[in-house]
Amino acid sequence: MEIDVNEKNKIVTIWLTNTEKDNMELRAQLTPLYEKYYNANYLVGVFESGSCDLYQSTLDLLKKNRRLTARNAVK
């Protein structure tokens, strides 16, 4: 697990591995952390490792966004 706190922008990012994301005890231990930063007006984001190919998923997303942008430009 990796926790990054950006004081300037008041953002907290929590990165979980595949093993950690399925660990309910670990996730329960994060609740006080969420509450602490929420009460301090921070935005908390939790990112979980996936099982898909990151390169292909990113490529597919970029292609979709390009098609949507082109479609909206025509309208």
Side-chain angles (χ1 to χ4, degrees), residues 4-70:
D4 296 319
V5 179
N6 183 319
E7 301 285 342
K8 180 181 175 187
N9 295 318
K10 295 191 118 180
I11 297 173
V12 178
T13 53
I14 301 170
W15 302 86
L16 301 176
T17 64
N18 279 322
T19 304
E20 293 167 336
K21 75 177 182 181
D22 296 328
N23 183 334
M24 290 303 136
E25 289 179 23
L26 174 71
R27 294 189 78 113
Q29 292 172 2
L30 291 174
T31 301
L33 183 72
Y34 302 151
E35 292 172 355
K36 171 188 170 187
Y37 284 107
Y38 177 80
N39 292 332
N41 295 318
Y42 277 70
L43 177 65
V44 179
V46 179
F47 298 89
E48 301 176 353
S49 292
S51 58
C52 297
D53 179 17
L54 180 60
Y55 177 81
Q56 187 60 49
S57 295
T58 304
L59 184 61
D60 293 342
L61 179 61
L62 291 170
K63 286 179 183 179
K64 178 181 178 184
N65 288 341
R66 182 176 243 182
R67 281 192 304 272
L68 290 173
T69 301

